[in-house]
């Protein structure tokens, strides 16, 4: 006689639910399925402080680049007291609140938090135009595995017609060569220069060195960082760069004269501190008086700034004043330290 097997609590529970003529229910097992996260092709990084009037416009312009989880938005805020953080979160941004460390250090902190293959660094008062957004999306997300014939159909021109590989909107020009190159060649670059349009008193400035005003803002993760400067910080990349031939960053920078004067006052102070750190000292008539005059004449006449009308005149006059302020503050800093 076979030995009697001891029933378990699970067996008794199963038998209790059985009915005559029905098969025993099979216990449900949920296998542990692997979970794969979507690749992050692009990280859009910004630093903010009380930017509620600008930030929504900026983030709206990059929404197509981060859709469907293939991109992310990183915002490093330095203690805003308005609705900046709420606006950033409403766009799905990852927000980090950190003490102010200076422009370069703050932007590098945002870069360090990015997970994308490419990083796009924008200021809170900037936005991408439609062409730039379309080009960057194609470059960062759709080029992998595409054949040469497929590259030509990644985007369409303004008329809706497909563009061929050479003439398409995503065509680039290498910084060290004069000829055009294919999108695939440009995708090997470590950094991409993008033209920037600057707005002054509600008008786009098209001359005097303010257009095309190229900025290196798109670069591969791990290949670029902002250099350690107090002001006018720029990205330094490890590797070749290329130029975006279509599309631009729109810089909504100076809506009023007061905004421009406040900005130049702040930047001239930072620039003076940087100049003193580099060894500039003393009172210089050339730097305080002659250099601003030469700057105005060069930008206004040689670089055709006068073609931007009255607002162009005001812009270049006050930019020359900024140069004078900067070197006067160099003297002030060195003089006060000696006293």
């Amino acid at each position: 006689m076979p030995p009697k097997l001891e029933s378990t609590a699970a067996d008794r529970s199963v038998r209790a639910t059985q009915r005559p003529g029905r098969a025993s229910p099979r216990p449900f097992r949920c296998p542990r399925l692997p979970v794969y996260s979507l690749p992050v092709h692009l990280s859009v990084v910004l630093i903010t402080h009380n930017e509620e009037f600008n930030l929504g416009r900026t983030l709206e312009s990059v929404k197509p680049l981060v859709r469907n989880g293939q991109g992310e938005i990183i915002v490093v805020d330095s203690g805003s007291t308005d609705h900046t953080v709420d606006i950033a979160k409403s766009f799905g941004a990852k927000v980090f609140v950190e003490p102010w460390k200076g422009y370069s250090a703050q932007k590098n902190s945002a870069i360090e938090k990015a997970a994308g293959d490419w990083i796009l660094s924008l200021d809170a008062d900037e936005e991408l135009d439609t062409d730039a957004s379309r080009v960057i999306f194609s470059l960062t997300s759709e080029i992998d595995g595409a054949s040469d014939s497929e590259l030509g159909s990644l985007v369409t021109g303004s008329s809706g017609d497909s563009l061929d590989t050479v003439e398409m909107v995503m065509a680039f020009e290498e910084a060290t060569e004069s000829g055009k190159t294919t999108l695939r060649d440009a995708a090997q670059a470590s950094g991409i220069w993008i033209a920037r349009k600057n707005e002054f008193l509600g008008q786009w400035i098209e001359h005097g060195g303010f257009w095309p005003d190229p900025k290196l803002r798109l670069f591969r993760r791990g290949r670029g960082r902002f250099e350690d400067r107090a002001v006018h910080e720029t990205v330094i990349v490890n590797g070749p760069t290329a130029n975006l031939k279509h599309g631009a960053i729109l810089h909504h920078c100076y809506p009023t004269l007061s905004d421009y004067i406040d900005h130049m006052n702040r930047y001239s102070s930072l620039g003076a501190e940087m100049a003193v750190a580099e060894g500039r000292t003393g009172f210089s008539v050339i730097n305080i008086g002659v250099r601003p005059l030469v700057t105005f004449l060069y930008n206004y006449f040689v670089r055709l700034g006068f073609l931007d009308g009255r607002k162009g005149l005001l812009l270049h006059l006050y930019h020359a004043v900024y140069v004078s302020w900067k070197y006067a503050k160099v003297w002030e800093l060195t003089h006060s330290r000696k006293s």
Side-chain angles (χ1 to χ4, degrees):
M1 186 174 182
K4 185 177 181 180
L5 300 177
E6 184 177 354
S7 62
T8 64
D11 294 333
R12 290 193 298 271
S13 176
V14 170
R15 285 198 298 271
T17 59
Q18 291 179 349
R19 294 180 181 177
R22 297 186 65 178
S24 300
R26 302 177 66 180
F28 175 75
R29 292 182 175 87
C30 181
R32 199 176 190 88
L33 299 176
V35 178
Y36 300 100
S37 59
L38 293 173
V40 179
H41 296 293
L42 176 70
S43 295
V44 181
V45 300
L46 304 97
I47 64 172
T48 58
H49 182 260
N50 292 341
E51 292 285 357
E52 64 179 0
F53 295 109
N54 290 315
L55 188 59
R57 176 180 56 212
T58 302
L59 298 184
E60 186 69 31
S61 75
V62 300
K63 278 177 60 176
L65 300 176
V66 300
R67 62 177 181 246
N68 300 327
Q70 64 183 2
E72 64 177 0
I73 300 172
I74 304 292
V75 173
V76 173
D77 186 80
S78 54
S80 292
T81 56
D82 59 6
H83 295 94
T84 295
V85 170
D86 295 332
I87 294 171
K89 290 181 177 179
S90 72
F91 282 87
K94 301 174 184 177
V95 180
F96 303 85
V97 178
E98 299 178 358
W100 178 250
K101 300 178 289 292
Y103 289 104
S104 296
Q106 204 81 350
K107 290 183 178 182
N108 284 331
S109 178
I111 291 172
E112 291 164 1
K113 297 172 175 58
D117 300 323
W118 289 84
I119 294 174
L120 174 65
S121 177
L122 293 175
D123 292 339
D125 60 355
E126 296 174 338
E127 65 171 318
L128 293 179
D129 70 8
T130 303
D131 282 343
S133 178
R134 184 167 54 235
V135 173
I136 292 171
F137 177 79
S138 298
L139 174 67
T140 58
S141 64
E142 298 190 33
I143 185 172
D144 293 338
S147 65
D148 288 336
S149 60
E150 291 171 333
L151 289 177
S153 60
L154 287 179
V155 298
T156 57
S158 58
S159 62
D161 299 326
S162 294
L163 305 173
D164 61 43
T165 304
V166 176
E167 297 297 330
M168 63 186 171
V169 170
M170 298 98 71
F172 286 82
E173 182 177 346
E174 293 183 352
T176 57
E177 298 181 5
S178 59
K180 289 184 178 179
T181 181
T182 65
L183 176 63
R184 189 180 299 282
D185 293 334
Q188 305 305 314
S190 296
I192 304 295
W193 293 85
I194 308 173
R196 187 173 72 166
K197 295 182 68 174
N198 295 283
E199 187 179 30
F200 179 72
L201 305 185
Q203 174 181 318
W204 295 113
I205 303 300
E206 300 180 355
H207 307 89
F210 283 83
W211 171 256
D213 189 25
K215 302 296 180 183
L216 205 163
R217 296 296 189 82
L218 180 65
F219 49 93
R220 293 184 182 276
R221 181 163 59 92
R223 301 280 186 89
R225 286 179 63 84
F226 283 89
E227 63 178 327
D228 186 15
R229 292 169 59 95
V231 68
H232 302 306
E233 65 284 352
T234 56
V235 176
I236 303 299
V237 298
N238 179 20
T241 62
N243 295 333
L244 193 68
K245 291 191 67 65
H246 295 269
I249 296 171
L250 306 180
H251 188 201
H252 303 276
C253 41
Y254 310 117
T256 68
L257 280 176
S258 295
D259 290 322
Y260 184 73
I261 293 171
D262 289 343
H263 182 83
M264 291 298 101
N265 185 36
R266 185 171 65 255
Y267 266 50
S268 62
S269 296
L270 294 172
E273 293 174 2
M274 191 167 63
V276 170
E278 294 172 351
R280 292 184 180 273
T281 60
F283 191 96
S284 171
V285 174
I286 293 178
N287 287 333
I288 297 174
V290 178
R291 185 187 289 264
L293 177 60
V294 172
T295 298
F296 172 77
L297 294 175
Y298 178 68
N299 289 331
Y300 192 69
F301 292 105
V302 178
R303 302 174 87 176
L304 307 181
F306 64 88
L307 293 178
D308 288 309
R310 296 175 180 177
K311 294 176 180 178
L313 174 62
L314 293 176
L315 174 62
H316 294 293
L317 276 176
Y318 293 130
H319 179 70
V321 172
Y322 151 76
V323 175
S324 180
W325 285 352
K326 172 183 171 180
Y327 290 103
K329 290 178 180 181
V330 168
W331 169 77
E332 182 183 41
L333 283 173
T334 56
H335 180 72
S336 61
R337 292 177 183 179
K338 292 177 181 179
S339 301

